[in-house]
Amino acid sequence: MIELENVGYSYGGGELLSDISLKLQSGSFHFLTGPSGAGKTTMLKLCYGALIPTAGHVRLFEADVRDLERDDVAMVRRRVGVVHQDCQFLDHLTVADNIALPLMVSGGDLLAESANLKELTNWVGLTNRANAYPPELSGGERQRAALARAVIMSPDVILADEPTGNVDWEMSQRLLRLLVELNRMGKTIMIATHDLALIRAAKAHVQARVLRISNRRLQLAGADL
Amino acid sequence: MSLNVSAISSLFSSDSQADKVVPPTGFTATLTLFSAAAMSFLAVFALALSLATGRLAERWGAELARTSTIRISAPEGQLLAQTEAALRVLETTKGVLSARALTAEEQQALLEPWFGPDLPLEALPIPQLIEVIEEGDGFDAEGLRLRLSAEAPGAVVDDHTRWCRPLVRAATRLRMLGLFSILLIGLATAAMITLAANAALAANTQVISVLRLVGARDSYISSAFERRFTLRALSGAAVGVGLGCLAVFLLPSAQATGGFLTGLGFQGWHWLWPAIIPPLTALVAFAATRTAARRTLGNMR
């Protein structure tokens, strides 16, 4: 699905990631951890084609990211749902429209999908906030809306970058349950987080692989968690 | 950059979703409307100038070049005899279709604009004018002058081309100037719309980045901006052309004695020419916005 082979990434003369190899198998659940600035976000960006590696190969759905045309990158993004810490909403659209955005840009029939949209909005607990605008939402509501937007196209992979970074413990557990539920539906999940308590809590519900970026390299973590 | 028909026709198909995802672009909307309207207004005048000078050049070229005048200045007793001699010479001159002496009334009408209608023509030593209509390649002016100098020494041949050519050249250059002005107006419009589109794109970098993140193709993002700027330029140009045509229509009408300035305008089917300005402006806006959008998108992954 997503494969990184001896990947390195340098920027501004400095090497951020080095010799990273990883295969995200279908239906797997990964945590990516490490200190702030370790390169978690950079690695996630490599996984959805937002960055091109300076060394090694990144294969997205069996195509080398260097060979992808711009339209191909757009098609990959429809198969990979991304949840950012800052959510990245369009503030002039309502929550419902923001959730439906991937459908809109892919030329989907919003009318035909309205039942799914309502169900999804209900699933993330935002039915009564559907007509609100993003700046009116709390941190937890924003993250749930971002998750709903990430899954509306029923992607194969969901990448979440610090999804619980701006929410309290109770809300982070709620978000985690939603992600676990998606994984049980067969979705491949990778969550970048430095919240070890979240990882420990997740292990009670799902078999997750925990990876750590340390000194620019990827390591398998677990014993200390 | 390719401008295919489907891309242009898609501008007119309603895509409220694409329009919705790009937020209103504020001052750039007003800038595009105003510049398109102002430039189209100017383009109407440049077009009117070009067409009017074109007509003038054609008329002078066609009419004056085919006619000549022979002026006979002679003492009172010889004027009639020299006129008749000159007419006889003209009858046998190759390249002359017809020749006739102007009547006293016609000569008075020619002088009327300068001396008024009550001019006592018979009391003044006015030369006799002979109007000559040419045929084929015209006559040999030098040969005619030599023959006239023998038969009618007071005759002076004025073949019009002496003063007609510079006028026709000036009119032709004015016409080129009008066309060049239209080209400059088109380029200035493209520059202004490119600036406005760039400003709108820069203000919406975050929006474009989110759209790319959720899987929007470049064509989807680009078309939202293209449609907006093209339709604005089209409506602005329509207003500008409407006002320009009204202004041209309200100019004083052309009169025989009015000269060049009162002839500035459109005649007959030439009134249809300004109708091509709005679609041309829209085309320029479409190309300018597409170029700007593709350049901005090219800098994003």
Side-chain angles (χ1 to χ4, degrees):
Chain A
M1 222 162 236
I2 294 179
E3 187 183 352
L4 284 72
E5 185 189 335
N6 305 119
V7 165
Y9 186 77
S10 303
Y11 182 77
E15 192 178 43
L16 300 178
L17 296 172
S18 173
D19 199 25
I20 302 247
S21 291
L22 172 71
K23 261 187 187 176
L24 289 186
Q25 303 285 7
S26 178
S28 60
F29 199 117
H30 288 79
F31 278 106
L32 181 64
T33 188
S36 291
K40 300 188 292 292
T41 301
T42 301
M43 192 169 144
L44 285 188
K45 284 184 172 175
L46 287 165
C47 288
Y48 64 89
L51 294 176
I52 295 176
T54 49
H57 297 278
V58 173
R59 289 185 196 90
L60 305 178
F61 305 101
E62 291 170 13
D64 194 303
V65 75
R66 287 193 185 89
D67 299 333
L68 294 177
E69 299 288 338
R70 292 182 61 79
D71 277 357
D72 299 331
V73 174
M75 297 313 287
V76 164
R77 303 264 167 88
R78 294 177 192 182
R79 297 179 71 181
V80 180
V82 181
V83 181
H84 276 273
Q85 185 177 6
D86 61 358
C87 299
Q88 301 204 352
F89 289 125
L90 300 185
D91 288 346
H92 64 286
L93 298 183
T94 63
V95 170
D97 284 338
N98 267 289
I99 292 173
L101 196 58
L103 266 178
M104 286 186 196
V105 304
S106 63
D109 186 347
L110 285 185
L111 209 59
E113 296 287 341
S114 62
N116 286 342
L117 189 60
K118 271 186 186 163
E119 197 183 327
L120 185 60
T121 313
N122 186 46
W123 179 66
V124 293
L126 290 175
T127 303
N128 59 349
R129 304 293 277 152
N131 292 320
Y133 287 88
E136 298 165 14
L137 300 184
S138 68
E141 287 172 332
R142 288 172 69 84
Q143 288 297 338
R144 281 181 281 147
L147 182 60
R149 186 182 69 185
V151 301
I152 194 165
M153 295 293 284
S154 193
D156 302 308
V157 182
I158 293 156
L159 305 174
D161 189 8
E162 300 281 6
T164 60
N166 294 326
V167 298
D168 58 25
W169 175 251
E170 194 184 331
M171 186 52 68
S172 70
Q173 291 304 295
R174 195 169 169 184
L175 280 164
L176 181 63
R177 280 197 296 275
L178 292 172
L179 287 161
V180 168
E181 202 177 324
L182 285 166
N183 180 241
R184 285 182 183 145
M185 294 159 122
K187 308 293 179 195
T188 305
I189 311 280
M190 182 151 81
I191 303 171
T193 182
H194 62 269
D195 185 353
L196 299 184
L198 180 78
I199 299 173
R200 286 189 201 106
K203 282 192 149 186
H205 304 289
V206 69
Q207 195 176 4
R209 230 175 137 203
V210 183
L211 307 165
R212 174 188 289 147
I213 299 178
S214 178
N215 293 325
R216 303 185 302 277
R217 289 169 187 274
L218 195 64
Q219 303 165 346
L220 190 60
D224 55 340
L225 292 169
Chain B
M1 187 189 63
S2 62
L3 290 176
N4 56 48
V5 176
S6 65
I8 294 169
S9 64
S10 73
L11 293 172
F12 302 101
S13 63
S14 166
D15 189 344
S16 56
Q17 286 182 11
D19 289 340
K20 195 170 156 183
V21 298
V22 177
T25 39
F27 80 96
T28 58
T30 318
L31 179 64
T32 310
L33 267 173
F34 176 76
S35 54
M39 288 299 171
S40 301
F41 185 84
L42 294 176
V44 170
F45 277 94
L47 193 60
L49 172 76
S50 183
L51 290 171
T53 49
R55 281 195 305 271
L56 218 53
E58 274 171 30
R59 201 170 66 222
W60 285 344
E63 291 177 9
L64 299 182
R66 309 300 298 163
T67 62
S68 301
T69 308
I70 291 170
R71 189 177 75 245
I72 295 169
S73 305
E76 200 177 330
Q78 295 176 25
L79 190 63
L80 188 61
Q82 287 204 24
T83 302
E84 283 170 357
L87 284 171
R88 278 195 302 275
V89 168
L90 286 165
E91 273 171 24
T92 58
T93 302
K94 193 183 170 193
V96 172
L97 180 67
S98 63
R100 69 176 186 91
L102 295 191
T103 62
E105 289 74 26
E106 285 172 324
Q107 297 212 149
Q108 182 151 12
L110 287 174
L111 294 171
E112 200 177 285
W114 285 272
F115 298 103
D118 303 323
L119 177 70
L121 202 63
E122 63 285 345
L124 292 171
I126 304 291
Q128 175 64 53
L129 297 178
I130 297 174
E131 183 190 60
V132 182
I133 310 283
E134 297 169 32
E135 65 178 359
D137 295 331
F139 55 78
D140 170 18
E142 272 314 301
L144 182 63
R145 276 191 192 101
L146 286 172
R147 288 175 65 203
L148 283 175
S149 64
E151 303 288 333
V156 176
V157 178
D158 178 4
D159 64 0
H160 294 179
T161 53
R162 191 161 37 91
W163 57 272
C164 179
R165 272 196 197 122
L167 281 177
V168 171
R169 206 179 301 128
T172 307
R173 283 194 183 161
L174 266 176
R175 181 186 208 176
M176 295 309 294
L177 200 64
L179 293 173
F180 184 63
S181 302
I182 292 171
L183 180 71
L184 282 183
I185 286 167
L187 290 174
T189 306
M192 276 187 251
I193 291 171
T194 303
L195 281 176
N198 275 332
L201 288 159
N204 286 295
T205 305
Q206 178 65 15
V207 172
I208 294 169
S209 156
V210 171
L211 292 174
R212 283 292 298 170
L213 178 74
V214 299
R217 289 184 166 142
D218 284 355
S219 55
Y220 179 90
I221 301 168
S222 174
S223 68
F225 286 93
E226 284 160 16
R227 183 165 32 248
R228 192 168 286 189
F229 280 89
T230 303
L231 294 180
R232 270 183 207 147
L234 183 67
S235 43
V239 171
V241 164
L243 291 174
C245 285
L246 185 67
V248 168
F249 179 75
L250 293 176
L251 282 173
S253 59
Q255 291 167 3
T257 55
F260 167 70
L261 280 176
T262 54
L264 186 66
F266 303 106
Q267 286 178 5
W269 67 271
H270 281 180
W271 277 102
L272 294 176
W273 273 111
I276 67 163
I277 294 174
L280 272 182
T281 309
L283 203 63
V284 166
F286 173 74
T289 313
R290 172 168 272 216
T291 308
R294 294 293 161 103
R295 197 186 308 120
T296 303
L297 286 165
N299 294 329
M300 294 180 177
R301 179 69 180 163

